[in-house]
Amino acid sequence: MYKRCITERSAKQQQSIESAFLELINSKPYHSVTVSDVCEKAGISRFTFYRLFECKDDVLDAIVDKVLLQWMQAQPSRIVTEENMYDQNCAFFAFWAQQKSLLQALCDSGKTSLIVERSIQFLTKEDHTVAQYFGAQKSEHGEEIFRFCTSGVFSLVIDWHQSGCQKSIAQMAQILEFLLQKLTIFS
């Protein structure tokens, strides 16, 4: 678990640790990165690291959570409708195209499932509009519908990234729109 920073100093230290960690996992395998490596790269002590994080996995959790929060804050509209779905999907894929470094680090480290897990946790706590769109709140299987759809959407993002983003953002937005419309027919 990582700590929420309440002072500017601890927030800067946490950011330094996260940046150093991302650089390291983009240059060598995840399992090879040690807390000592992160501390040296970030220019902080192990005491400071452990004051903010329990382990290196928590650093990756914090990075993913911050990116998910950035996405939520960057959304053109919080409510997805049939009328704005394509635009929302374009914005979604454009956002994730900008997260190439994080996605590559997750792929290289075998941690792609983390983005799915964290997005489900994050969206369950923070953003219920996704569940509402899928009709998940109206169904006795709402949680399963929500998990299934969220997992599928992020699997598309990961596959798209791993293919080198060969399809355009517009093409991916159309694919996602098609899939979501198919799913909502049954809700």
Side-chain angles (χ1 to χ4, degrees), residues 3-163:
K3 315 256 180 341
R4 301 265 184 213
C5 296
I6 54 173
T7 67
E8 186 176 331
R9 181 172 181 243
S10 63
K12 284 181 181 179
Q13 290 170 330
Q14 190 175 47
Q15 180 59 47
S16 177
I17 292 168
E18 291 167 5
S19 296
F21 186 76
L22 255 183
E23 282 183 47
L24 287 166
I25 63 173
N26 274 309
S27 65
K28 64 183 189 177
Y30 178 84
H31 66 276
S32 298
V33 175
T34 66
V35 170
S36 294
D37 294 336
V38 175
C39 293
E40 183 179 324
K41 182 95 172 151
I44 54 108
S45 68
R46 288 175 66 85
F47 175 80
T48 300
F49 179 92
Y50 286 113
R51 190 172 41 81
L52 299 168
F53 299 97
E54 289 180 15
C55 63
K56 73 178 187 179
D57 290 343
D58 293 343
V59 179
L60 198 51
D61 288 349
I63 293 167
V64 170
D65 288 351
K66 284 181 181 175
V67 169
L68 290 168
L69 182 60
Q70 287 172 4
W71 158 245
M72 195 169 105
Q73 293 170 342
Q75 288 183 65
S77 170
R78 297 279 306 239
I79 299 171
V80 180
T81 64
E82 286 188 41
E83 293 77 32
N84 73 3
M85 185 187 311
Y86 174 77
D87 292 336
Q88 290 278 41
N89 292 346
C90 283
F92 178 77
F93 281 101
F95 177 84
W96 287 103
Q98 295 172 350
Q99 306 303 321
K100 187 182 287 189
S101 177
L102 173 61
L103 292 172
Q104 192 60 50
L106 291 169
C107 291
D108 290 348
S109 63
K111 296 278 188 179
T112 55
S113 63
L114 179 67
I115 200 158
V116 175
E117 294 165 18
R118 300 304 286 185
S119 65
I120 288 171
Q121 290 173 2
F122 185 83
L123 293 170
T124 301
K125 284 192 273 182
E126 303 293 334
D127 190 355
H128 301 286
T129 59
V130 176
Q132 289 169 352
Y133 176 76
F134 296 133
Q137 294 177 324
K138 299 175 194 166
S139 169
E140 67 180 280
H141 305 293
E143 187 172 331
E144 291 84 3
I145 292 167
F146 174 74
R147 287 178 179 279
F148 177 80
C149 294
T150 303
S151 299
V153 168
F154 278 97
S155 291
L156 278 178
V157 169
I158 292 162
D159 289 345
W160 179 57
H161 170 75
Q162 288 179 320
S163 76

Side-chain angles (χ1 to χ4, degrees), residues 86 89-90 93 168-179:
Y86 174 77
N89 292 346
C90 283
F93 281 101
S168 70
I169 288 170
Q171 288 172 312
M172 292 306 295
Q174 288 173 333
I175 291 167
L176 184 54
E177 181 177 24
F178 171 79
L179 293 171

